[in-house]
Amino acid sequence: MSVDPHPKYPHLLSPIDIGGVTLPNRVLMGSMHVGLEEEWGRLDKMAAYFEARAAGGVGLIVTGGVSPNLAGGVKPFAAKLSNFYEVWQHRVVTDAVHKAGGRIAMQILHAGRYAYLPWSVAPSAVKSPITPFKPKALSNRGVENTIRDYVNCAKKAQQAGYDGVEIMGSEGYLINQFIVKRTNKRTDDWGGSYENRIRFAVELVARTRKAVGDKFIIIYRLSMLDLVKDGSSWEEVIQLAKEIESAGASIINTGIGWHEARVPTIATMVPRAAYTWVTARLKGEVSIPLVTSNRINMPDTAEKVLSSGDADMVSMARPFLADPEWVNKANDDRADEINTCIACNQACLDLVFQNKRASCMVNPLACYETEVSLEPTTNPKTLAVVGAGPAGLAFATSAASRGHTVTLFEASEQIGGQFNMAKKIPGKEEFNETLRYFQKQIELTGVQVRLGTRANTEMLSSGFDAVVIATGVNPRKLKLPGIDHPKVLSYIDVLARNKAVGDSVAIIGAGGIGFDVAEYLTHQPETGDAIDQYLKVWGVDRRMSEPGGLMDHEDPPPARAITLCQRKQGKLGAGLGKTTGWIHRSALKKKNVTMLDQCQYERIDDDGLHLTVAGSPQTLAVDNIVICAGQTSQQELLAPLQAAGVDVHIIGGAFQAGELDARRAFDQGTRLAASI
Ligand code: FAD
Ligand code: NAP
Ligand code: SF4
């Protein structure tokens, strides 16, 4: 039966046959560890999480990594599948996905030397720079046993009802460690020549295929661009891909960069679809479908990638945390309703790296499907919300979606609060998508928005069953001699009021906003292709002339000379996100930003900023001093409303400014709406 192509996304939403299994579309939900895997009582939570994505129309789901044995887990008690008891556990997940009409493959991941385990193993005893333990080199028998464990794991996955497995051969995990010389120093049949180094990968796939039969999907995630010195050359990548195909893989998925690589590959400053050219190079070399990945988050981008022939399918992981309905919305021509993943990592990877459960900054329901629900209310109320920043928007639209009548007051002429400054930072353009999403949600849920209206106690004291204060923050005012000098600007002057800024600037405060202001003030407008510019700055070689794909980086000259200051002793930006702080620091270093810790600010005058740095007096002779010294809560409505007997709630920055970030604002707004 032939199906008419989708009018808007004819490639993305067309079916594809992979090794005898037909998928309804070209969308693969990429593997992502979310922390539910190891939680007690995880089964229902995991099942509900995957079921929602299957019901949302994903063509093929891939689970987070599951180890084939005890040595391969990423950390102690990591998810493993090697015995019958574990088969039974996985059944709950596969049944839920199939009931929702989906298909799911289980990723088999052996971490090798990346395991956070004292008993980790690897091809050779070469310690990784990102884990504290030196691995033990596998003996010849150890290698054979590990292959046997992979095959056993795949067979158990089949028994557990999975439609396939993904063999994780990228990001620097065990299989990758066998493939490249930097981690494989063996002199036996598993090391030395390239043929020997890829034997482990090829044997694994061949023996797995033999064990699971023809119809079971085998995805091989192949590291096409290692982004580490002495990685694989392009010729080697082609050879491996061909052998993996011959060994029986159904699809090849793209892996970009080892975990120890110092090139950002998925953070928000990476342009959309910045790496699909890598997959495109492999097209024509093999005949099985190729999946591409990295920073694809909206249907238009995905369609463009597929229609240009770069790949046969797209893999997206985080976008399905942000919106489980992504595919259905694209299919129904409702892409403007998609809650877009803005690639911030704040509520997903940053939490997983702290051994916490992942969620999503812009969708706090992700991974909490069984715990927080926006079911229709049985007790509709009339509610006022003051402030249309992230907290107020999340509350207002979620409460209205449940059937409450909501009026949202916003003092300025636009929704979004501080996100209107965040979106202006080079590399944070994705924040615009969140504002677009909420604007659409306002229309869909019928929230009545009163822009340009500064709500006061009188307006709020009657007519509402409850009032939610989401008024955000005020920038902290410093008590410093000369603080009113014309050289002094606040971050709001710079980002929202477009005040003129001179060529040399000192920034007081090196938190998230201090770093962002430094990025904004040093940025040279892009000329030419954004992807080319990004690859140049981070030293990624499109020609892949050297193994690993790295080259010398080329940094455009900074637009201004910046000195970034903090009072604390230690590395600047230590409090930034676990997975992104290093990127912000490297980016500013590339722009010659001077970073000073142990600063004591003395005064500001015509000569500039006078301070001591680690006890030594200095004067920074700068044109401007920009204050980014944190924020305080704006709570002036709270006490009067409480005194007037109003049922009042306070969320986001208004509730607490210290260590506030938008994650808490969205989360508090959504959870309050679920309970009110
Ligand atoms: P706000 O966003 O401050 O919104 C409060 C709103 O209330 C404002 O629109 C204000 O006009 C309105 N208001 C106040 N009083 C009244 C009144 N009486 N009547 C009507 N309306 C009123 N956070 C992150 O987590 N990640 C980031 O990457 C990030 N980047 C940032 C970059 C910049 C440049 C800036 C400035 C902030 C950034 N933040 C980031 C911080 C983040 O934006 C805030 O944590 C978040 O906006 C707080 O949300 P909120 O709703 O509590 O308050
Ligand atoms: P912040 O992260 O708390 O940083 C405030 C900075 O000001 C710190 O460097 C602090 O360091 C300094 N400071 C505090 N009190 C001071 C004082 N009295 N005098 C001089 N310096 C002082 O706050 P922020 O930068 O305003 O950011 C606000 C929120 O937005 C934060 O939650 C932040 O995480 C979030 N945000 C996140 C990102 C991101 O990329 N994830 C980006 C922007 C903003 P010292 O005390 O050592 O001087
Ligand atoms: Fe995307 Fe940020 Fe949500 Fe993670 S937390 S899924 S990066 S929007």
Side-chain angles (χ1 to χ4, degrees):
M1 188 182 71
S2 85
V3 180
D4 286 341
H6 189 275
K8 208 150 178 204
Y9 309 113
H11 297 85
L12 181 68
L13 299 179
S14 67
I16 181 168
D17 183 66
I18 42 170
V21 181
T22 303
L23 304 180
N25 55 56
R26 309 295 178 109
V27 181
L28 180 137
M29 175 173 154
S31 172
M32 206 174 6
H33 181 90
V34 292
L36 283 173
E37 294 84 351
E38 290 87 27
E39 264 192 38
W40 184 242
R42 69 195 163 100
L43 294 174
D44 290 351
K45 294 177 192 172
M46 283 273 281
Y49 161 70
F50 282 122
E51 187 182 347
R53 275 80 199 160
V58 176
L60 177 62
I61 293 172
V62 181
T63 67
V66 175
S67 175
N69 58 27
L70 270 175
V74 280
K75 59 180 181 182
F77 309 111
K80 170 176 82 62
L81 177 56
S82 59
N83 60 44
F84 279 107
Y85 173 70
E86 289 156 346
V87 168
W88 167 79
Q89 288 183 316
H90 284 256
R91 265 271 168 215
V92 182
V93 171
T94 54
D95 284 348
V97 168
H98 292 148
K99 213 172 90 207
R103 288 141 301 272
I104 184 163
M106 190 193 83
Q107 187 186 71
I108 308 180
L109 181 151
H110 189 304
R113 69 177 193 146
Y114 278 172
Y116 209 85
L117 302 171
W119 57 85
S120 63
V121 295
S124 305
V126 181
K127 191 180 143 331
S128 97
I130 56 172
T131 36
F133 305 106
K134 189 171 178 180
K136 188 168 142 288
L138 282 162
S139 64
N140 194 23
R141 179 192 277 205
V143 176
E144 284 292 345
N145 287 347
T146 305
I147 296 179
R148 189 201 58 204
D149 291 343
Y150 266 91
V151 175
N152 173 51
C153 186
K155 271 175 29 191
K156 295 268 180 302
Q158 193 174 32
Q159 287 158 6
Y162 285 103
D163 302 281
V165 288
E166 176 171 83
I167 295 177
M168 179 49 156
S170 69
E171 326 301 284
Y173 291 116
L174 181 72
I175 295 176
N176 244 184
Q177 294 159 25
F178 268 96
I179 291 172
V180 304
K181 277 194 192 136
R182 60 188 266 130
T183 44
N184 184 343
K185 313 284 182 195
R186 300 177 77 95
T187 51
D188 61 5
D189 289 351
W190 306 101
S193 67
Y194 188 63
E195 284 69 24
N196 278 359
R197 283 182 275 127
I198 62 174
R199 261 186 69 201
F200 183 73
V202 176
E203 284 287 321
L204 263 180
V205 175
R207 293 192 208 175
T208 301
R209 173 56 75 208
K210 204 165 159 219
V212 296
D214 284 348
K215 287 265 171 162
F216 196 62
I217 300 168
I218 298 180
I219 310 164
Y220 182 84
R221 183 105 180 258
L222 195 151
S223 186
M224 296 189 196
L225 183 65
D226 292 331
L227 298 179
V228 290
K229 234 171 150 294
D230 299 328
S232 295
S233 70
W234 184 247
E235 293 68 34
E236 290 173 341
V237 167
I238 295 175
Q239 185 182 337
L240 175 61
K242 288 184 171 172
E243 297 212 22
I244 289 294
E245 177 177 26
S246 305
S250 331
I251 334 181
I252 292 178
N253 193 0
T254 304
I256 302 288
W258 286 33
H259 283 311
E260 66 204 70
R262 291 291 90 179
V263 178
T265 53
I266 58 166
T268 191
M269 43 72 65
V270 178
R272 285 186 186 180
Y275 284 99
T276 61
W277 57 272
V278 183
T279 320
R281 285 183 69 141
L282 201 59
K283 285 282 283 180
E285 303 285 356
V286 289
S287 54
I288 51 176
L290 294 179
V291 188
T292 196
S293 71
N294 288 55
R295 286 288 285 119
I296 299 167
N297 61 349
M298 285 298 276
D300 283 346
T301 310
E303 177 63 23
K304 196 163 155 223
V305 165
L306 296 179
S307 64
S308 65
D310 282 2
D312 304 290
M313 291 181 70
V314 288
S315 167
M316 290 175 282
R318 298 170 298 169
F320 290 106
L321 285 177
D323 198 333
E325 286 281 317
W326 194 101
V327 175
N328 285 349
K329 287 178 181 175
N331 192 38
D332 301 345
D333 207 6
R334 294 188 288 130
D336 59 346
E337 291 178 32
I338 288 177
N339 196 358
T340 306
C341 165
I342 59 174
C344 65
N345 286 357
Q346 285 181 243
C348 53
L349 289 180
D350 282 347
L351 292 188
V352 169
F353 278 94
Q354 295 167 50
N355 282 328
K356 293 182 184 158
R357 193 197 306 180
S359 185
C360 170
M361 179 156 97
V362 297
N363 174 26
L365 302 180
C367 300
Y368 287 86
E369 286 76 11
T370 58
E371 292 151 81
V372 187
S373 148
L374 295 176
E375 290 292 301
T377 180
T378 51
N379 180 18
K381 293 180 179 168
T382 302
L383 305 170
V385 185
V386 190
L393 288 170
F395 175 81
T397 55
S398 302
S401 75
R402 296 189 57 216
H404 296 297
T405 301
V406 182
T407 305
L408 175 58
F409 296 94
E410 170 51 51
S412 74
E413 293 297 339
Q414 56 185 348
I415 65 160
Q418 294 173 64
F419 262 36
N420 289 306
M421 287 184 271
K423 73 185 187 188
K424 292 188 181 167
I425 307 300
K428 282 195 168 179
E429 294 78 8
E430 292 284 4
F431 283 57
N432 281 297
E433 296 285 3
T434 304
L435 300 182
R436 182 265 308 147
Y437 167 76
F438 277 109
Q439 185 58 54
K440 189 71 192 174
Q441 286 303 307
I442 284 171
E443 286 165 37
L444 293 172
T445 58
V447 173
Q448 296 160 41
V449 185
R450 306 258 303 267
L451 292 178
T453 309
R454 180 165 290 279
N456 56 35
T457 317
E458 205 188 325
M459 291 156 76
L460 301 166
S461 297
S462 61
F464 299 105
D465 296 319
V467 173
V468 175
I469 298 178
T471 44
V473 297
N474 293 315
R476 177 174 284 118
K477 291 214 168 83
L478 296 190
K479 292 193 186 89
L480 186 65
I483 195 72
D484 296 322
H485 192 278
K487 278 178 185 283
V488 179
L489 300 170
S490 74
Y491 64 86
I492 299 178
D493 291 331
V494 175
L495 298 174
R497 300 185 187 119
N498 294 324
K499 290 220 175 149
V501 182
D503 290 337
S504 58
V505 177
I507 298 176
I508 292 186
I513 293 180
F515 266 76
D516 274 358
V517 168
E519 180 66 44
Y520 179 84
L521 291 176
T522 48
H523 184 73
Q524 289 283 13
E526 267 149 26
T527 50
D529 181 65
I531 295 179
D532 280 339
Q533 184 133 345
Y534 150 80
L535 296 174
K536 266 191 213 156
V537 167
W538 290 95
V540 180
D541 182 8
R542 256 192 200 273
R543 294 158 305 162
M544 297 172 75
S545 11
E546 294 292 326
L550 292 175
M551 63 177 186
D552 287 341
H553 54 89
E554 282 176 42
D555 304 320
R560 289 182 182 80
I562 304 284
T563 307
L564 188 55
C565 310
Q566 74 176 19
R567 297 173 304 174
K568 286 187 280 290
Q569 184 175 0
K571 175 170 83 174
L572 271 70
L576 297 177
K578 194 137 174 81
T579 61
T580 52
W582 68 272
I583 303 173
H584 293 300
R585 268 190 303 278
S586 308
L588 293 191
K589 278 184 190 150
K590 286 171 184 292
K591 291 173 171 176
N592 299 329
V593 170
T594 305
M595 300 198 190
L596 301 178
D597 67 338
Q598 303 180 69
C599 297
Q600 288 267 1
Y601 312 112
E602 303 292 339
R603 66 181 191 285
I604 294 164
D605 59 23
D606 288 350
D607 293 334
L609 172 63
H610 301 268
L611 74 172
T612 61
V613 182
S616 309
Q618 281 196 24
T619 300
L620 300 176
V622 290
D623 299 322
N624 291 105
I625 295 101
V626 182
I627 312 296
C628 304
Q631 306 172 324
T632 54
S633 294
Q634 207 179 113
Q635 297 190 333
E636 63 201 21
L637 289 171
L638 182 63
L641 286 173
Q642 282 172 333
V646 174
D647 178 14
V648 58
H649 305 259
I650 184 159
I651 56 175
F655 170 72
Q656 197 185 338
E659 292 175 24
L660 168 90
D661 58 21
R663 177 163 69 88
R664 179 141 57 80
F666 285 115
D667 194 59
Q668 281 184 332
T670 309
R671 282 173 189 265
L672 178 61
S675 64
I676 204 161

